[in-house]
Amino acid sequence: MIVTYLENCLKEVSVDCVIFGFDGSTVKVLLSKWKNIDYWSLPGGRIKKMEALNAAAQRILQERVGLKEVFLQQFNVFGEINRCEHYDELETTKLIEKSIGEDLSKIPIKHRVLSVGYYALLDINKVKAIPDEYTEECRWMELNEIPLLLFDHNEMIDLAIRTLRREVKYQPIGNLLPDKFTLAEIQKLYESVLDKTFDRRNFYKQITKQDFLVKLAEKRTGSANKSPNLYRFDQSKYEQALEAGMGF
Amino acid sequence: MIVTYLENCLKEVSVDCVIFGFDGSTVKVLLSKWKNIDYWSLPGGRIKKMEALNAAAQRILQERVGLKEVFLQQFNVFGEINRCEHYDELETTKLIEKSIGEDLSKIPIKHRVLSVGYYALLDINKVKAIPDEYTEECRWMELNEIPLLLFDHNEMIDLAIRTLRREVKYQPIGNLLPDKFTLAEIQKLYESVLDKTFDRRNFYKQITKQDFLVKLAEKRTGSANKSPNLYRFDQSKYEQALEAGMGF
């Protein structure tokens, strides 16, 4: 079955997706556990012969974890010669064969595969990740609790977060927030993405100066302390600010 | 001959290089003119079957324009289905056949090709670009004088410069300068890369605060005005500043 799938796809290039989500306090990555083995990987897949690369990444996210029209950003092509074997303390091929119950040596011609890495930025609460035919569980994991993954996927996550940090002025990390959020949440988001802490007063002063932030009449209720104000993004102003490189 | 070359390479992925140089006043891109036709392209080529992607990019630069051990940065994978035909007002295939004098329809199996775009940053004076077997001239062109190129190479250049602007805090644009340079030259460099002008006093004040800049005892002589001081980079401090994201 996997052999048939591969026949309709490009042989030498694949796609892997590092999906970042934020739960209000820390940034997490969505991982898939393969059936019958106790190992995890990033969601990934092949590009169809007549499919644009970016469209393939969107389709793979939808097929693998049930997500549609997600913000996706290419961040690197992984092209070492033995890029999977190189990290292969795990004997990945054997594990995959055990997981899918197919003999991979039946694939007529073996190809070296480069992988295009994408990262996605999502509101964790809007996501209902669904395992695909090869996997039995999807789980959001914190960056510091990610186990040894199949293939070179630990390296991919590491480079994805470093790239996101560098590009934070230009990338819509606000996508990680719910539609309405508090200043404390946006501060937590920046702190978690950048792995830094900010002085609360300074951060609030800077962020509330930004014209893309709209203060709502509503407040967050039900918290132990006093009810904080809620905000949302003015989407078109937010996009303009990102285009220019956010100045704060 | 091109058929034989292709047989030893990956069929579905290629590499193209946007080589930026600086001549003391503007940023330029290195282009190659193909033999027998009046059209230009970026230097590019194929990845060998057993060659790491980044190594392929280095080899291609060396073969095509005679450059060794160059700073190279991946910036995008171009993966539209008809990525060359799409821009093909030029009927590129016919032009290439005319240029190389070979019938490309002889290639047994046609493959759709994705291209990994790299940019390079070079001191223009250290480069002696040499045409390869397919091209007859290499020329540095200013960004605003680049003609309609073969393939989707105009789009590649456009995205390369936009990416460089976004990443300017992290990328060694100092590589574009000669070993010894004046403050006026580094200001010109920033202005040309970013397509902005800076106030001279402010720029000098900010840049001379940076610990990676070393003032030399020498001065630039032979200019019409008073002889300006020369500077060089402290390479290890410069690398540290880039790693942290240059704060000016």
Side-chain angles (χ1 to χ4, degrees):
Chain A
M1 209 155 65
I2 202 166
V3 178
T4 319
Y5 174 68
L6 289 177
E7 272 169 10
N8 298 314
C9 294
L10 298 187
K11 306 283 181 288
E12 301 168 353
V13 201
S14 67
V15 164
D16 287 297
C17 301
V18 180
I19 306 168
F20 291 115
F22 179 68
D23 66 1
S25 80
T26 53
V27 168
K28 295 182 173 177
V29 174
L30 188 61
L31 294 171
S32 299
K33 186 186 163 300
W34 287 65
K35 283 182 181 165
N36 309 316
I37 56 172
D38 197 19
Y39 287 100
W40 301 75
S41 78
L42 294 170
R46 297 294 181 121
I47 304 152
K48 291 186 180 162
K49 282 188 177 162
M50 292 306 281
E51 183 180 45
L53 174 62
N54 291 338
Q58 291 283 358
R59 175 186 53 77
I60 287 163
L61 271 195
Q62 189 174 347
E63 287 176 5
R64 300 276 142 148
V65 286
L67 306 176
K68 273 188 200 177
E69 290 173 36
V70 160
F71 170 82
L72 278 172
Q73 177 70 39
Q74 281 182 24
F75 68 95
N76 194 57
V77 188
F78 296 83
E80 291 300 315
I81 301 169
N82 302 313
R83 46 172 284 268
C84 290
E85 289 84 346
H86 185 66
Y87 296 88
D88 222 345
E89 302 165 51
L90 298 178
E91 298 193 87
T92 300
T93 305
K94 282 187 194 164
L95 288 172
I96 299 295
E97 286 181 333
K98 186 175 169 195
S99 172
I100 66 179
E102 287 190 62
D103 182 356
L104 293 175
S105 66
K106 279 187 194 153
I107 297 175
I109 304 166
K110 293 244 189 292
H111 289 274
R112 169 185 165 204
V113 184
L114 283 70
S115 180
V116 183
Y118 282 79
Y119 66 78
L121 301 172
L122 291 176
D123 172 6
I124 221 168
N125 302 300
K126 284 190 190 148
V127 176
K128 177 94 191 79
I130 303 155
D132 69 356
E133 59 178 318
Y134 300 113
T135 54
E136 59 188 10
E137 187 187 341
C138 299
R139 193 188 295 176
W140 292 98
M141 293 195 197
E142 286 187 33
L143 292 171
N144 59 11
E145 66 178 23
I146 291 169
L148 183 59
L149 302 174
L150 294 170
F151 316 110
D152 50 356
H153 291 185
N154 294 85
E155 191 197 6
M156 287 185 179
I157 294 172
D158 186 48
L159 188 58
I161 186 74
R162 282 193 285 139
T163 307
L164 179 58
R165 283 175 187 154
R166 286 192 168 192
E167 295 179 348
V168 77
K169 286 170 72 165
Y170 300 99
Q171 301 298 355
I173 66 163
N175 288 4
L176 292 158
L177 290 168
D179 295 337
K180 299 169 184 178
F181 49 85
T182 65
L183 293 181
E185 283 164 348
I186 193 168
Q187 179 174 350
K188 271 275 185 205
L189 171 66
Y190 269 91
E191 290 183 336
S192 181
V193 167
L194 297 173
D195 196 23
K196 282 183 182 170
T197 53
F198 295 107
D199 173 70
R200 184 177 158 281
R201 272 176 67 107
N202 262 337
F203 185 88
Y204 281 24
K205 198 171 148 190
Q206 291 298 321
I207 192 83
T208 51
K209 266 191 221 160
Q210 309 299 320
D211 70 351
F212 56 76
L213 213 60
V214 182
K215 191 173 177 176
L216 302 173
E218 292 173 71
K219 291 180 182 242
R220 169 76 44 84
T221 53
S223 77
N225 306 319
K226 65 174 184 176
S227 307
N229 289 304
L230 286 168
Y231 291 78
R232 68 167 175 83
F233 287 109
D234 178 320
Q235 204 56 38
S236 85
K237 285 182 182 158
Y238 186 50
E239 281 161 24
Q240 281 168 31
L242 291 171
E243 186 59 37
M246 200 162 301
F248 93 100
Chain B
M1 208 157 66
I2 201 167
V3 178
T4 318
Y5 174 68
L6 289 176
E7 270 169 11
N8 298 315
C9 294
L10 297 186
K11 306 284 180 289
E12 301 168 353
V13 201
S14 67
V15 164
D16 287 297
C17 301
V18 180
I19 307 168
F20 291 114
F22 179 67
D23 66 1
S25 80
T26 54
V27 168
K28 295 181 172 177
V29 173
L30 188 61
L31 295 170
S32 298
K33 187 187 162 299
W34 287 65
K35 283 181 181 165
N36 309 314
I37 56 171
D38 197 19
Y39 287 100
W40 300 74
S41 78
L42 294 170
R46 298 295 180 120
I47 304 151
K48 291 187 180 160
K49 282 188 177 160
M50 291 307 282
E51 182 181 44
L53 174 61
N54 291 338
Q58 291 285 357
R59 176 185 51 78
I60 287 162
L61 272 197
Q62 190 174 347
E63 287 175 5
R64 301 275 142 148
V65 285
L67 304 178
K68 274 190 197 174
E69 289 174 34
V70 159
F71 170 83
L72 277 172
Q73 176 70 38
Q74 281 183 23
F75 68 94
N76 193 58
V77 188
F78 295 83
E80 292 298 315
I81 300 169
N82 302 311
R83 45 173 285 266
C84 290
E85 290 86 344
H86 186 66
Y87 297 89
D88 222 347
E89 302 164 51
L90 298 178
E91 298 194 87
T92 300
T93 304
K94 283 187 194 164
L95 287 172
I96 299 295
E97 285 180 335
K98 188 176 168 194
S99 173
I100 66 178
E102 286 190 62
D103 182 356
L104 292 175
S105 67
K106 280 188 194 151
I107 297 175
I109 303 165
K110 293 245 187 293
H111 289 273
R112 169 186 164 202
V113 183
L114 283 71
S115 180
V116 183
Y118 281 80
Y119 66 77
L121 301 172
L122 291 177
D123 172 6
I124 221 169
N125 302 301
K126 283 190 192 149
V127 175
K128 177 95 190 78
I130 303 155
D132 69 355
E133 59 178 319
Y134 300 114
T135 54
E136 58 188 11
E137 187 187 340
C138 299
R139 192 189 294 174
W140 291 98
M141 293 195 199
E142 286 187 32
L143 292 171
N144 60 10
E145 67 177 24
I146 292 169
L148 183 58
L149 302 174
L150 294 170
F151 316 110
D152 50 356
H153 290 186
N154 295 87
E155 191 197 6
M156 286 185 181
I157 294 172
D158 186 48
L159 188 58
I161 186 74
R162 282 193 285 138
T163 307
L164 178 59
R165 282 174 187 154
R166 286 190 170 192
E167 295 180 349
V168 76
K169 286 171 70 165
Y170 300 99
Q171 300 298 355
I173 66 162
N175 287 4
L176 292 158
L177 290 168
D179 295 337
K180 300 169 184 178
F181 50 84
T182 65
L183 293 181
E185 282 164 349
I186 194 168
Q187 179 174 351
K188 272 277 184 202
L189 171 66
Y190 269 92
E191 291 182 336
S192 182
V193 167
L194 297 173
D195 196 22
K196 281 183 183 170
T197 53
F198 295 107
D199 174 69
R200 183 178 159 282
R201 272 176 67 108
N202 262 338
F203 185 87
Y204 281 24
K205 198 172 147 189
Q206 291 297 320
I207 192 84
T208 51
K209 266 191 221 158
Q210 309 299 318
D211 69 351
F212 55 76
L213 213 59
V214 182
K215 191 173 176 176
L216 302 173
E218 293 172 73
K219 292 180 182 242
R220 168 77 46 85
T221 52
S223 78
N225 306 319
K226 63 172 186 176
S227 307
N229 289 303
L230 284 168
Y231 291 79
R232 68 168 176 83
F233 287 110
D234 178 320
Q235 205 57 38
S236 86
K237 285 182 182 158
Y238 186 49
E239 280 162 22
Q240 281 169 30
L242 292 170
E243 187 57 38
M246 200 163 302
F248 93 101

